[in-house]
Amino acid sequence: MKDKKPRVAIQGIRASFHEEAAFIHFGEDIQTIECSSFKQTFEALQNKEADYVVMAIENSIAGSILPNYSLMMSYNFPVVGEVYLPIQLHLLALPGVKFEDVKYVTSHPIAIRQCIDFFDEYPHLKVVESSDTAACAKRIREEELTDTVAIANTLAAKLYGLDIMERRIESNKKNFTRFLILTHHENVEKKDIDKASLCFQVSNQVGALAKVLQIFAEQSINMSKIQSMPVLGKRNEYNFYVDIEWDNTKQYDAAIRQVLKYTHNFNILGEYQRHEDEYVQNEREQKFRAQEKITRKYINVKKIVK
């Protein structure tokens, strides 16, 4: 395994955002396994046709991709990592094509919705939805389309030999997608872990979930996400998908032991190292400085009162 390229299954084709996320986590020396659906990526992993799956789980604008939570529970492959990818969308065209000759814009529906301001500015452009951003770029190259442009990333422009006609046409410049990395159980390496993805149920009683959240707070465990989904076929029963982060492993262990008393069908979907790029690090530093400022102000107020 260590002597060969990791085989990474993605939903979509090469140069998609999924492959870009895979490059961030593994580096570019990988074998990309193209799959037509998220379920097919899990099938590839289960059949040992892939060593890892890179799967989008949430977007800062579109929200959580709920069916993918169900896939994680159904296949029970552990999460071993995450990637936060800034989504930058560009207008790609064949070299030499002029904007005034363009009649159609094609891309994934979510990418199209994320460029609503651009389409408001050019209402004459006809939108053609497709299943994958990179596939749209590939089609323009293969069919030599001179009246059509694609919305995709720079990776697609480079791979399929297209020009970037217009950069950063997305409406929200702080748009991120979070991807999870999943693998076989034998590939799991529990080192430097400071984040976990959990799934559990609580009783349908007043304060049942609050007890669990209180335990996390008492142990200084940060809950970075909570997502509920109905349990299929069961009224008023929900699976809670929770992501937690910690700085002290002993506090994490203590929290899990206590949480087990108040939950059922408890699953640790994965323990891994949180992804911190420059954006996340800057965000943490800003929060730390803000908290430090509040603390200093509180201390000064106490001195004045005294």
Side-chain angles (χ1 to χ4, degrees), residues 186-297:
E186 56 264 31
N187 289 340
V188 176
E189 295 180 14
K190 288 187 179 181
K191 57 180 183 180
D192 300 326
I193 61 171
D194 55 10
K195 188 168 184 175
S197 294
L198 314 174
C199 179
F200 55 81
Q201 297 171 28
V202 296
S203 59
N204 186 23
Q205 296 177 349
V206 175
L209 180 60
K211 290 179 181 178
V212 175
L213 303 186
Q214 183 62 31
I215 290 169
F216 290 145
E218 290 172 352
Q219 293 295 337
S220 299
I221 304 296
N222 177 47
M223 186 179 67
S224 59
K225 180 179 175 65
I226 182 168
Q227 178 72 54
S228 65
M229 281 185 63
V231 177
L232 189 63
K234 295 186 177 182
R235 184 180 175 184
N236 293 330
E237 291 191 28
Y238 295 86
N239 281 319
F240 290 96
Y241 294 89
V242 174
D243 291 329
I244 57 175
E245 303 172 348
W246 63 88
D247 295 319
N248 187 316
T249 304
K250 290 182 178 179
Q251 288 178 311
Y252 164 66
D253 292 337
I256 295 300
R257 286 195 299 270
Q258 294 176 50
V259 163
L260 286 171
K261 301 175 184 177
Y262 300 99
T263 62
H264 55 278
N265 294 331
F266 183 92
N267 285 283
I268 297 178
L269 301 176
E271 298 172 324
Y272 48 96
Q273 188 171 19
R274 73 184 78 150
H275 176 243
E276 289 196 356
D277 55 16
E278 186 177 342
Y279 176 86
V280 176
Q281 289 172 352
N282 289 340
E283 196 175 49
R284 284 183 179 278
E285 288 175 6
Q286 288 175 7
K287 287 181 179 179
F288 176 78
R289 286 196 294 269
Q291 185 61 47
E292 199 175 39
K293 186 176 180 180
I294 291 171
T295 303
R296 285 200 301 269
K297 186 177 180 181

Side-chain angles (χ1 to χ4, degrees), residues 36-54:
S36 60
S37 67
F38 287 114
K39 183 177 181 180
Q40 197 177 91
T41 65
F42 280 84
E43 288 291 321
L45 192 59
Q46 184 167 268
N47 297 331
K48 298 296 180 76
E49 297 167 356
D51 305 307
Y52 296 91
V53 163
V54 173

